[in-house]
């Protein structure tokens, strides 16, 4: 895989059982790139490892006054220089390719998982952690993947130098062969503590990111209540905690770096002192001493890759753990244990009823059904269930059925095509209005009809007025990030129009008109009923204007269906429904019942006296 070939046609199915397993899976997926990088690394480091011996041979040729040998050594040095330069350039190219392709694979996997889970993702994982995984963590994971091949090439060079010295200058080679492993592994006992401090730093950074995201999202509210300084103080405290944790982590890595500099220096001094003694005794030649000195000095370069691989693993292991945690999430809690054969591609026949066995809610096919829940949180969870995404609390319960087929047993794309859920806080992505409506749809509903049904005329006018000169079509007007330049009601109506354009077999709307005035709400209710005529539509709401337009109204109380009928029937015959819709308190209901009883008693007396 080359960078120009990205994105992957299929990023694969990751091994998300743990962070190390995920890293191993990534490495196996890039064996070809790792092999190329290793080969070029061996060329590069092999050239570096050959330099000391070439220098030693050159010194011996000068001492022996052998010009022919000196010319051969010069040719060897030129060849080694070419190998070092070419190997270094190609090693960098292949290693960076491994880094970017690994990071891109992880990002594709995360994007696919986010699309699969939808709003259930942020209920199971903190928003700040999701941001940290999709930004900084993917780079750290890619860093480790690309560092592995360079580390193996560095190990090859070190072994080559040590073995070469054992044959070229055995007395000094033994010292080097014993000292190099000690130098390479000296910092190993410090790695657990360095990793722990790095984990603390990343955890605090994730919390600070989440706090910043929440503050930015609620900036308008904060300004309204004058809470900017309060939240600024909280973020300042969080950022200082991140700084302190970063300093503590940096101190440990600075200590490891110091050890990696100090111990090779001690080894170099030892080799020079011992080698000078051997030269003085006539046991080795001057060229051998120069070769040994050059070899130890040269090994300082590949030895740095031991520190790098340790840092890369220490930073990437918790990052891979967090990524694996997100990638291991499933649409339902028991989906991971369910065999693959349990997921069937069977598609329900068109025109089936939508039925929730847990609550007993039935939405007849082709009808406009309104659902009233006294608890807004219950309504949100019910909307998720109707879309085939049960919440954690209800993950073990029976799945919602469409035409007798369980939604969580369908392929995700099929389930999303059949049932579309718009939650109470829909998100508008930045781009033009035309981009907003460029969504998968049946093609039966035009954007103009959907905008008209959602009463978006004033929204189009506002977008056109704020558009730059030369933009005459409101569909070409741009929407800012998350639609922040629009009011809550305008965003809600645009999201509703987008949902209407998709024209799914079943459309579930959770409080689609909670941010609009009553006059607009009445027109939207008529528009939804007209545009969705003959299609299954479920609206979770408590507004009488919407309930009055529904073909069937269902009251859900404490998780089960308590009553069903038309709005008028339930309003007059179901006290609990009347309390929810009219928002009466218990005292108000008691007073109303007393007054009603007194009125009935007075009417009875009048009839008797007549």
């Amino acid at each position: 895989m080359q960078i120009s070939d990205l994105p992957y046609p299929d990023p694969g199915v990751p091994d998300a059982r743990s962070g190390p397993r995920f890293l191993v899976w990534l490495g196996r997926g890039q064996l070809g790139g790792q092999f190329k990088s290793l080969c070029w690394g061996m060329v590069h480091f092999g050239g570096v490892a050959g330099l000391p011996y070439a220098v030693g041979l050159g010194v011996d040729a000068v001492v022996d006054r052998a010009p022919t040998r000196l010319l051969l050594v010069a040719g060897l040095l030129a060849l080694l220089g070419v190998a070092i330069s070419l190997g270094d350039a190609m090693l960098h190219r292949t290693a960076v390719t491994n880094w970017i392709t690994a990071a891109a694979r992880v990002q594709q996997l995360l994007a696919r998982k986010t699309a699969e889970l939808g709003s259930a993702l942020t209920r199971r994982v903190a928003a700040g952690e999701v941001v940290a995984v999709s930004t900084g963590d993917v780079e750290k994971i890619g860093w480790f993947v690309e560092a592995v091949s360079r580390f193996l090439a560095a190990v090859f060079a070190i072994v080559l130098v040590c073995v070469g010295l054992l044959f070229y200058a055995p007395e000094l080679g033994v010292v080097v062969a014993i000292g190099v492993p000690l130098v390479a592994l000296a910092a190993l006992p410090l790695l657990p503590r360095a990793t722990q401090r790095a984990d603390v730093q990343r955890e605090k950074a994730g919390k600070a990111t989440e706090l910043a995201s929440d503050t930015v999202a609620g900036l308008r509210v904060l300004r309204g209540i004058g809470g900017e300084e309060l939240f600024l103080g909280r973020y300042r405290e969080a950022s200082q905690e991140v700084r302190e944790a970063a300093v503590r982590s940096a101190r440990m890595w600075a200590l490891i770096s110091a050890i990696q500099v100090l111990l090779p220096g001690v080894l170099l001094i030892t080799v020079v002192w011992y080698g000078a003694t051997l030269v003085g005794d006539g046991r080795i030649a001057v060229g051998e001493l120069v070769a040994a000195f050059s070899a130890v000095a040269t090994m300082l370069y590949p030895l740095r890759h031991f520190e790098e691989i340790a840092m890369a693993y220490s930073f990437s292991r918790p990052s891979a753990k967090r990524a694996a945690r997100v990638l291991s999430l499933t649409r339902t809690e028991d989906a991971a244990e369910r065999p693959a054969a349990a997921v069937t591609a069977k598609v329900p026949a068109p025109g089936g009823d939508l039925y929730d066995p847990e609550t007993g809610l039935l939405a007849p096919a082709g009808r406009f059904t309104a659902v009233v829940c006294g608890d807004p949180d219950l309504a949100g969870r019910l909307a998720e269930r109707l879309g085939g995404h049960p919440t954690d609390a209800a993950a073990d319960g029976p799945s919602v059925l469409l035409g007798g087929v369980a939604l969580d047993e369908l392929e995700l794309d099929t389930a999303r095509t059949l049932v579309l859920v718009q939650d109470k806080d829909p998100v508008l992505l930045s781009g033009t209005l035309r981009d907003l409506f460029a969504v998968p749809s049946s093609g039966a509903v035009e954007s103009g009809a959907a905008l008209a049904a959602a009463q978006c005329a004033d929204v189009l006018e506002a977008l056109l007025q704020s558009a730059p000169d030369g933009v005459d079509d409101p569909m070409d007007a741009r929407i800012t990030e998350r639609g922040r330049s629009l009011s809550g009601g305008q965003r809600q109506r645009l999201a509703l129009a987008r949902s209407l354009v998709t024209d799914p077999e079943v459309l579930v709307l959770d409080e689609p008109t909670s941010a609009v005035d009553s006059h607009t709400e009445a027109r939207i209710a008529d528009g939804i009923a007209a545009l969705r005529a003959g299609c299954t539509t479920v609206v979770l709401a408590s507004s009488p204007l919407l309930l009055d337009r529904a073909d069937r109204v269902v009251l859900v109380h404490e998780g089960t269906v308590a009553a069903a009928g038309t709005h008028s029937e339930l309003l007059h015959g179901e006290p609990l429904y009347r309390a929810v819709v009219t928002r009466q308190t218990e005292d108000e209901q008691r007073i109303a019942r007393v007054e009603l009883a007194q009125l009935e008693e007075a009417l009875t007396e009048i009839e008797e006296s007549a």
Side-chain angles (χ1 to χ4, degrees), residues 471-530:
V471 177
D472 300 325
D473 188 348
M475 297 298 293
D476 295 325
R478 295 195 62 82
I479 300 173
T480 57
E481 179 191 4
R482 300 177 68 90
R484 298 190 190 280
S485 60
L486 303 174
S487 67
Q490 290 174 328
R491 289 196 299 268
Q492 195 173 57
R493 282 178 283 161
L494 281 180
L496 174 60
R498 178 181 57 187
S499 299
L500 294 174
V501 163
T502 61
D503 189 37
E505 182 174 334
V506 179
L507 177 61
V508 180
L509 304 172
D510 185 8
E511 294 288 354
T513 59
S514 59
V516 301
D517 60 83
S518 57
H519 298 289
T520 305
E521 185 178 31
R523 293 194 295 269
I524 291 176
D526 292 333
I528 294 176

Side-chain angles (χ1 to χ4, degrees), residues 168-519:
Y168 186 73
E171 293 88 349
L172 291 177
V174 172
V175 175
V176 174
I178 295 175
V180 167
L182 295 177
V183 171
L185 302 177
L188 192 61
L190 299 177
L191 290 180
R193 182 173 296 181
T195 302
Q196 182 181 9
R197 292 189 179 185
D199 290 346
V200 172
Q201 175 194 350
R202 278 185 290 276
E203 180 181 357
K204 292 184 178 296
K207 292 181 179 179
T209 301
E210 184 175 0
L211 179 60
S213 300
D214 293 341
T215 302
V216 171
L219 191 58
R220 180 180 297 181
V221 178
L222 291 178
R223 287 177 176 173
I225 63 176
E228 301 101 312
E229 290 298 327
L230 174 62
F231 277 82
L232 180 61
R234 291 181 181 177
Y235 182 73
R236 185 181 294 112
E237 293 176 1
S239 63
Q240 289 302 313
E241 291 179 0
V242 174
R243 182 188 63 81
E244 293 173 0
V247 170
R248 294 183 69 248
S249 177
R251 286 174 179 169
M252 183 58 64
W253 287 112
L255 177 60
I256 293 175
S257 299
I259 292 175
Q260 293 293 319
V261 172
L262 175 63
L263 294 185
V266 172
L267 176 62
L268 186 62
I269 293 173
T270 302
V271 168
V272 171
W273 175 79
Y274 183 56
T277 302
L278 293 177
V279 171
D281 295 340
R283 298 167 59 182
I284 62 173
V286 175
E288 294 176 337
L289 174 59
V290 173
F293 171 79
S294 301
V296 175
T298 300
M299 277 194 296
L300 296 180
Y301 170 51
L303 279 174
R304 293 176 184 172
H305 290 77
F306 282 79
E307 177 188 353
E308 183 191 13
I309 195 66
M311 291 182 65
Y313 180 73
S314 298
F315 280 92
S316 65
R317 184 184 60 82
S319 296
K321 181 180 178 180
R322 284 196 293 268
R325 179 190 173 195
V326 175
L327 295 175
S328 64
L329 298 176
T330 55
R331 292 170 61 191
T332 58
E333 290 297 320
D334 61 339
E337 290 77 20
R338 188 168 51 194
V343 179
T344 174
K346 178 183 178 182
V347 180
D353 297 337
L354 184 68
Y355 177 66
D356 180 17
E358 181 169 321
T359 61
L361 172 63
L362 174 66
R367 305 283 297 279
F368 183 178
T369 302
V371 181
V372 176
C373 298
D375 183 2
D377 293 334
L378 173 61
R381 293 194 296 270
L382 179 57
E384 289 291 330
R385 278 189 53 78
L386 294 178
H389 300 281
T391 58
D392 295 342
D396 297 331
S399 172
V400 172
L401 305 177
L402 177 61
V405 179
L407 286 180
D408 64 357
E409 293 182 1
L410 294 173
E411 294 290 341
L412 181 61
D413 293 341
T414 303
R416 290 260 174 94
T417 302
L418 294 172
V419 183
L420 174 66
V421 178
Q422 177 183 304
D423 60 25
K424 64 183 64 178
D425 296 314
V427 175
L428 303 180
L429 301 180
S430 60
T432 65
L433 191 57
R434 197 180 307 279
D435 296 334
L436 180 68
F437 287 94
V439 292
S441 64
S442 66
V445 178
E446 298 292 335
S447 58
L451 288 166
Q455 300 299 310
C456 294
D458 63 315
V459 184
L460 300 179
E461 183 179 352
L463 288 174
L464 198 56
Q465 289 178 352
S466 61
D469 295 339
V471 177
D472 300 325
D473 188 348
M475 297 298 293
D476 295 325
R478 295 195 62 82
I479 300 173
T480 57
E481 179 191 4
R482 300 177 68 90
R484 298 190 190 280
S485 60
L486 303 174
S487 67
Q490 290 174 328
R491 289 196 299 268
Q492 195 173 57
R493 282 178 283 161
L494 281 180
L496 174 60
R498 178 181 57 187
S499 299
L500 294 174
V501 163
T502 61
D503 189 37
E505 182 174 334
V506 179
L507 177 61
V508 180
L509 304 172
D510 185 8
E511 294 288 354
T513 59
S514 59
V516 301
D517 60 83
S518 57
H519 298 289

Side-chain angles (χ1 to χ4, degrees), residues 37-48 91 149 152-154 156-157 160:
S37 184
L38 177 61
C39 290
W40 285 115
M42 292 173 67
V43 172
H44 171 65
F45 285 107
V48 173
L91 171 62
S149 56
L152 294 177
F156 165 77
L160 188 63

Side-chain angles (χ1 to χ4, degrees), residues 81-96:
V82 172
I84 292 173
S85 300
L86 179 62
D88 189 24
M90 296 306 298
L91 171 62
H92 179 75
R93 178 184 178 87
T94 54
V96 170

